[in-house]
Amino acid sequence: MKFGFFDDQNREYVITQPNTPLPWINYLGCQAYFGIISNTAGGYSFYRDARLRRLTRYRYNNAPMDFGGRYIYLRDDESRQFWSPSWQPTRHDLENYSCRHGMGYTVIGSTYNGIEAHTRYFVPLDENLEIWQLTVTNRRATRAQISTFASIEFCLWDAQDDATNFQRNFNIGQVEVEDGVIYHKTEYRERRNHFAYFGCSEQSAGFDTQREAFLGPYRGWDSPAAVEAGQLTNSIAHGWSPIGAHQVKLDLAPGETRQIAFVLGYQENPVDQKFDPEDSQTINKKQVKPVIAKYLDPKQADAAFERLRQHWDKLLGIFQVDTPDIHTNRMVNIWNAYQCMVTFNLSRSASFYESGIGRGLGFRDSNQDLLGFVHMAPERARQRILDLAATQLPTGGAYHQYQPLTKRGNNDIGGGFNDDPLWLIVGVSAYLKETGDWSILDEEVLFDNQPGSEKPLYEHLLRSFSYTLERLGPHGLPLIGRADWNDCLNLNCFSSTPGQSFQTTTNKGGQVAESVFIAGLFVSASRELAAIAKHCRLNAEADTYLREGTKMEQVVHEHGWDGEWFLRAYDDSGAKIGSKECAEGKIFIESNGFCVLAGIGLDDGRAAKALAATHEHLATKHGIVVLQPPYSKYYLNLGEISSYPPGYKENAGVFCHVNPWVMIGETRLGHGDQAHDYYSRINPSAREEISDLHRCEPYVYAQMIAGKDAPTFGEAKNSWLTGTAAWNYYAIVQWILGIRTTLDGLEIAPVIPKNWPGFKATRIFRGVVYHISIERKGDGNQISLIVDGSPIEGNLVLPPTDSRKEVTIKGFLGEPLHK
Ligand code: BGC
Ligand code: NOJ
């Protein structure tokens, strides 16, 4: 069952039924000001940091789940009926309800009793504000007297404190109202130099800033007393819960349309210019007033919307593809790329599953996110890399998280997740391949942000590499530390205290438990690093990295192979994990996926065996699960992984983040059909028809789909902010379609389904537009290339040495043209 449809032309998903199984959301803003918006106008806004600069209040764990947002009410002043055009919060039966989620904007509207209303919400580029453009049309044969109300509830800035510290908070709320604009200035009198504002383009028929005056005692947002009465009360909030509500009266002739704009924004004043007059407590509005006036002007707002569109056209235009599969096309061309930008912007902070209160950017997450967005935002990727590297410890280890506002490592979480450092090599390598900007390696970067500790970024990579080598276990495999990619495989934790954090508890010495996954990652990183060194003409160093990689590969063969597949780990007692000898958790996806991705066992048949076993034991129609059989009880020696009921999360859920490792592995084996089949199983667009089962948005990936051992097999959770976005994008673009960035140029190596006659793509790479067409001439993945009319040897297309800005590549698959 579907709840809407894709409008690919407009790059929108159109929801046609408001009661989606879960809130289906979108993001507003892509620089500093952000908002989450659901299909019924729920959600909240913040400036930079979802916890510390929360503009509007939102209650998680609510019933209904999505409640609180950018709510508009309409009231027929004759019949006194009122309703919400976005369905929530009044939940009246509407006609023609639709919610169009697009690239950085959302339009929600409907018709009720002949009154049509739509609101377009977006954040203009380079501004710290959001615009709500409400269009109301009278479709009746008679005049209509309509009151419109727009409302939001302010958060007292620190979202955590706002939700807990009531003894203080009920006393501090303050607002000002001037020229029809509501200013929220709680704590502005003391240490804050920022405030929020909520303005309206039309003559005000009333406002409210005190929640209780607007809602009335014992009432909720579904039936505000002031809306019911048809008149806001001009309340001024003193303490309690400041809100912003505007009322505008419309007298509409039949067929008449009116537009009203509302602007909600964030403003900082210089500390010494907070007040006007200086010795007063009144906000200095000199800087903000022109901004508000600008965006309440419909022409300026429309122009800002146009700029936003162009911004996304430009970003998405960097890679566009036309394949025989519509789900591939729309994910690659639109939604997956968009989700990659959102995960870059928001990391794992604010969604309907991430509360915006747990803070920090993951070291491993952020490095992996690079794989998906580096082509769209290379300058920002560069900065992200330098910020991440500056939190690296002198040992080469890494803080597991860093704080985006201070850019410091997070001491509460600390380090010791032994895969973390290696992801820096993966991230930097992806950046170099995309940009060819070798200067980044010479950037002087601090260790642990300590002045005087700076060393070239290249040195950081070496320390990442030696961090692993200096921490090898009894079998010569990398010690796992607190966990590797699988945050829940906590082999040194042994926690028996309820509620204790599995992520931060370490009871064991850590000198025994080893990870085959990290070994695979190391092998892969050693080759990336060697290629980088070689490019810098550091041949001897390159040889060392290759040698260490090959040594590790041998160790994996000796101690990481279980006969039919790769082992997952050794625990603190030296016992195997992910082996046929285990009672549960006999086989895991991570080591099999990553070892093959790294090329281990490609020559001796082990890679093929490992992925055949993965197919046999782990693949399901809803994706590949993490492990089998699931852990049926809690194991002290395994940690959080066995805390989840079977089929959920790391305990045998389909972790959509790691499925691409298997897809890439399959392409390395030349299996295009299998790779694309796996890709399609978790592709949200391909799952649209089963939205009632999948339940999350059909336009973005979710972190997890419940596995076959769960009663809710096939149900997705934790959409949007997940490494799934980057890895799936990377797998389909660079390995299945095979348009792959390398340090030297663009490699063309498609491993596509047999029945695809070919595909076309446009790729802007290092300033050159590549027009690529692939035509299947026969079976197999062998490719012959003609570049600007001339056949070339091999499949690496070097950047033009002349001034050409466009290059045409024709590729013929399955039939050698020149031998
Ligand atoms: C989740 C993991 C996550 C970890 C750290 C665990 O509860 O299951 O997916 O990586 O927390 O945030
Ligand atoms: C989510 C975390 O953000 C990521 O870092 C981790 O690798 C996966 N969960 C798996 O545990």
Side-chain angles (χ1 to χ4, degrees), residues 15 23 166 176 199 224 231 356 394 407 479 529 733 798:
I15 301 163
F166 307 110
E176 285 177 31
Q231 185 56 57
K407 298 189 173 176
L479 291 169
L529 191 57
V733 171
L798 297 171

Side-chain angles (χ1 to χ4, degrees), residues 487-488 503 640 644 649-650 655 703:
D487 272 337
C488 298
Q503 301 298 313
E640 185 167 359
Y644 287 113
K649 291 280 284 184
E650 281 85 345
F655 236 86
Q703 180 199 61

Side-chain angles (χ1 to χ4, degrees), residues 85-103:
S86 59
W87 193 57
Q88 290 247 62
T90 67
R91 294 195 293 277
H92 281 78
D93 284 338
L94 304 169
E95 293 157 47
N96 303 325
Y97 159 89
S98 73
C99 165
R100 291 183 166 263
H101 283 319
M103 305 289 104

